Amino acid sequence: MKQDIFQAIADPTRRAILTLIAIQALTPNAMAEKFDMTRQAVSKHIKVLHECELIKPQQRGREIYYHFNAKKMQEFDHWLAQFRQNWETQFNQLDNLLQTIKEQNNE
C-alpha cells in the first residue's frame, strides 16, 4: 500500500530521518544508532518514506544506503507554494488591519 506523503512527514522521527539523510546517505543500522532505536523500528520508518518516494535505496555491496529524494520533496514544495502565497496575502491583510486599528487607537 502506497503511503501518503502527509502521513510520512507527520511523524517527527521520519522528519528527523529525512533531515539526516539529506546531508548524507545512511544505512538502516547507522540510522538506528543515531536514534537509539532498533533496526526493525527504523525499517518501519524507512518503509513509509520509501513508499512515498521521499527516499531512494542504493545497494553498495552488502549494505543498502538510503538517499534523500530532493525531486519528490520539490514536487511537494511546488504544491504547497499555491497555499503559501494565499497565506502570505492573508497575513499581510491582517497586518494592515492591525496597523490601522493601532493608528486609530493612538489618535
Side-chain angles (χ1 to χ4, degrees):
M1 179 173 100
K2 186 166 178 158
Q3 295 287 326
D4 183 281
I5 194 168
F6 291 103
Q7 290 174 321
I9 62 174
D11 185 275
T13 301
R14 288 193 284 267
R15 289 193 308 267
I17 289 171
L18 288 172
T19 301
L20 268 179
I21 65 173
I23 298 167
Q24 170 184 349
L26 295 172
T27 65
N29 287 334
M31 288 182 221
E33 290 173 10
K34 301 237 185 234
F35 290 98
D36 193 30
M37 63 174 62
T38 66
R39 188 187 186 291
Q40 291 79 13
V42 168
S43 291
K44 289 180 182 181
H45 290 295
I46 289 171
K47 181 181 177 191
V48 172
L49 293 169
H50 184 251
E51 288 175 353
C52 296
E53 301 173 357
L54 289 171
I55 62 175
K56 299 182 288 187
Q58 181 185 32
Q59 186 85 34
R60 289 190 207 160
R62 295 174 54 194
E63 296 283 351
I64 298 175
Y65 285 80
Y66 287 90
H67 298 264
F68 180 71
N69 185 0
K71 183 177 179 185
K72 187 66 174 184
M73 192 57 81
Q74 189 177 33
E75 290 173 15
F76 182 64
D77 184 56
H78 287 313
W79 181 82
L80 278 177
Q82 63 187 330
F83 300 103
R84 189 177 300 118
Q85 184 170 356
N86 185 31
W87 298 329
E88 288 175 8
T89 300
Q90 290 181 8
F91 285 134
N92 288 338
Q93 290 172 346
L94 179 59
D95 284 342
N96 292 338
L97 176 64
L98 292 173
Q99 185 63 35
T100 301
I101 291 171
K102 183 178 176 181
E103 289 171 359
Q104 289 174 351
N105 287 339
N106 287 338
E107 290 177 356

